[in-house]
Amino acid sequence: MSEILSVHNIETYYDLIYAVRGVSFSLTEGEITTILGTNGAGKSTILKTIMGLIDDQPEKGVIQFEGKKINHKDTEKIVKMGISYVPEGRQVFEELTVMENLQMGAYLRRDRGGINKDIQRIYDYFPILKEREKQWAGTLSGGEQQMLAISRALMSKPKLLFLDEPSLGLSPLLVKEIFEIIKLINQEGVTILLVEQNANMALGIAKKGLILESGRFVLNGSSKELLKNKDVQEFYLGIKTEVATKGYQRWKRKKSWR
Amino acid sequence: MTDFLLVLASGITAGSSYALMGLAMVIIYKTSGVVNFAQGEMGLISAYITFMMLDYYGFGYLATFFWAFVFALFLGALMEFAILRRAKDPSVLGLMIITIGLEMILLGLVSWKFGADPKDMPFPISPFESIELVENIYISVLEVLTIGVATAVMLILFLFFRFSKLGVAMKAVQQNPMAAKLMGISTNRVLMITWSISSFVGALAALLIAPANMGPFMMWDPLLKGFAAAVMGGMTSLGGAVVGAYIVGIIENFFGTFISIEFKSVVAFSIIVIMLCVKPSGLFGRHYVKKV
Ligand SMILES: Nc1ncnc2c1ncn2[C@@H]1O[C@H](COP(=O)(O)OP(=O)(O)OP(=O)(O)O)[C@@H](O)[C@H]1O
Ligand SMILES: [Mg+2]
């Protein structure tokens, strides 16, 4: 299995805020990898840095996609190379219809027939989107918007898909459904990098996991190993932890990780 | 009755050039959220280039109009590429102030090169030629042309934003520039094209105004009225801007005829203020309210 993306020692700043502090990892083609971490750990920042969405960043480090360096490339170019990103908070085009949102997802494609076929396939995944086809995306429910955001990202036929907290704000049932779809997408050959708070679900479908704290990876391994790891169990899976003392315990443990 | 129809007719013709200006402003606002105060002066420059080619160098009409429109497209692209894009960490307010600065520079250029005196713009249609619509109601051929052009532009723009991929992409860029980039849309290029199209529409307006009234300040009034029209339509609606333009044109003509000619121009200002206070989303605002 070959490496599709490799990130080597990147550092990202928001002006003076040092958000990503030397992060390295690589993704194997065809696998699902997950990044877990608490709020503000820098998960989204890593994805945005790779997508070239933060001006003049990364400050240091190298990002390679299929062996080609992509640091400081325009986002449009990176998308064209085959990476697609479903951003945190969906970011659908609120005053475009569901259909137009999907068409924008296929902006770089010229094959009309193929585009229509892919839209049909998406409607098979998410029948509700077909029903809402002519409705403004902003009028969809949060869950429907998430489905649309994922679908839209798939319309560019990416080789690599980034998902930033797809489960955020969704009912448990819907989360399950979305994760099933993610698995399906992966089975069709798309490599996936999944950023999540829902560690249980994420490790359930991912092959490997990385754990991020304050801009650094503190742990990585196969999902199986991580699920057995005491720290992970305690902080991310909520095992053996009483709610009232969680905050205190977490802080102590975190220190021992560094 | 004749009076009434006459005033109505002049309201509609005035409304047509306001509509073109309003449309030009809406196009830029729709994609970038910026009110382009240099819109009028961009058209002004195009009109003076046309004047120069016809009057100084004796080019034919066809060649002149062709090059004038090419110039207008280029000017729009240049404004975006060379000036607005260079703004570091731009805020919408900062960009608007830039457009005000541009407005003054362009106006200064025209006054310096051509002087402040009114000019006679050669034009294939004389502004004094009229046709009788109904009994005793005359309308100039130039006015008919203006109404026709405004209608055609409106229709084309409507179809463009509704059905063309580029048109939809323009709306996407305005609604969410980051997401647009993630679709592979080159937001910079889209913005540049937007400015080109808008400059073209503004130049059309200026060229239709020039034969009747040409001078460095000829675009002030249409710009203000066009802006009022755009505000009435909620700034993002093409149809709204057009309806707004005709309402402004008609109201101000009735006001000017029956109430007070001196305060005719105040009508547009009042409309802007009232709309912004009472219903900033415009007459037909159906802006979907963001969920927080
Ligand atoms: N635009 C920004 N400007 C300044 N600081 C930012 C910006 N975006 C993020 N940060 C900071 O960078 C750090 C990492 O943020 P990031 O959004 O990457 O966290 P995250 O791991 O995705 O968290 P969450 O799970 O809450 O989404 C945080 O401390 C945050 O405050
Ligand atoms: Mg995040």
Side-chain angles (χ1 to χ4, degrees), chain A residues 39-40 42-45 48 85 88 164-165 195 197:
Chain A
N39 293 114
K43 305 178 296 296
S44 301
T45 306
K48 285 183 194 156
Y85 170 39
E88 201 172 20
D164 199 343
E165 300 199 36
V195 161
Q197 300 269 354

Side-chain angles (χ1 to χ4, degrees), chain B residues 168-225:
Chain B
V168 177
M170 285 181 175
K171 291 194 281 189
V173 169
Q174 188 250 336
Q175 287 172 33
N176 194 329
M178 181 195 72
K181 278 187 194 160
L182 289 171
M183 304 296 107
I185 300 172
S186 167
T187 49
N188 279 337
R189 191 175 330 149
V190 164
L191 280 179
M192 200 163 95
I193 296 171
T194 305
W195 275 75
S196 274
I197 296 176
S198 168
S199 170
F200 177 85
V201 174
L204 269 178
L207 280 181
L208 289 164
I209 291 164
N213 162 29
M214 186 165 188
F217 295 100
M218 69 185 218
M219 294 308 287
W220 274 26
D221 203 50
L223 177 83
L224 172 66
K225 311 290 167 62

Side-chain angles (χ1 to χ4, degrees), chain A residues 91 95 107 110 138 140, chain B residues 165 175-176 185 287-288 291:
Chain A
Q91 314 279 351
E95 293 182 13
Y107 184 81
R110 296 276 175 269
L140 300 180
Chain B
K165 190 164 148 185
Q175 287 172 33
N176 194 329
I185 300 172
H287 254 273
Y288 135 87
K291 291 176 197 161

Side-chain angles (χ1 to χ4, degrees), chain A residues 42-62:
Chain A
K43 305 178 296 296
S44 301
T45 306
I46 292 177
L47 299 187
K48 285 183 194 156
T49 306
I50 298 171
M51 293 309 292
L53 284 170
I54 308 172
D55 280 346
D56 307 326
Q57 297 294 328
E59 187 84 21
K60 286 192 186 135
V62 181

